[in-house]
Amino acid sequence: QVQLVESGGGLVQPGGSLRLSCVVSGSIFRVNALAWYRQVPGKQRELVAGISGGGSTNYADSVEGRFTISRDNAKNTIYLQMNDLRPEDTAVYYCNGRKLVGVVWNDYWGQGTQVTVSS
């Protein structure tokens, strides 16, 4: 079983920065891809940024140019550097890991970390 543990959320003023971390239990290579999602009450969970095993990245249009996803394989950790934060970035942020087992993708989720952008 893959376990993901996030940290780094908190309260920040508009225009500020935060860095989220997600540690993958055992080894980061236990999953094929990793990503950050976010969710606000009453809305669907949405993809924020993803990173493949080879380091390819993709971003939601709403965060492109402000957020950066990265990985440190030696630390079994991925990061989400969030700059120029806006009130609309307020959400619970979840780390996601995807593992291909045969022909089925298995999804694993962390417990979530709250990010609040407010003055």
Side-chain angles (χ1 to χ4, degrees), residues 16-113:
S17 298
L18 279 176
R19 188 177 80 158
L20 305 182
S21 300
C22 173
V23 179
V24 183
S25 64
S27 169
I28 199 169
F29 296 108
R30 295 178 68 190
V31 296
N32 298 99
L34 289 150
W36 288 98
Y37 284 72
R38 65 187 181 188
Q39 189 171 26
V40 297
K43 292 191 176 181
Q44 281 193 325
R45 196 170 292 187
E46 65 172 1
L47 175 67
V48 176
I51 188 165
S52 71
S56 298
T57 59
N58 61 286
Y59 296 93
D61 289 343
S62 59
V63 307
E64 183 82 52
R66 299 187 298 123
F67 291 11
T68 303
I69 188 171
S70 62
R71 59 189 289 157
D72 185 334
N73 293 337
K75 295 182 178 180
N76 297 318
T77 301
I78 65 165
Y79 303 97
L80 185 67
Q81 178 66 44
M82 305 185 292
N83 298 329
D84 189 23
L85 282 160
R86 305 167 181 171
E88 53 265 38
D89 295 317
T90 296
V92 178
Y93 284 71
Y94 295 91
C95 181
N96 165 265
R98 305 202 83 195
K99 180 179 176 63
L100 185 61
V101 181
V103 296
V104 177
W105 283 101
N106 287 352
D107 279 293
Y108 303 93
W109 296 93
Q111 80 285 357
T113 185

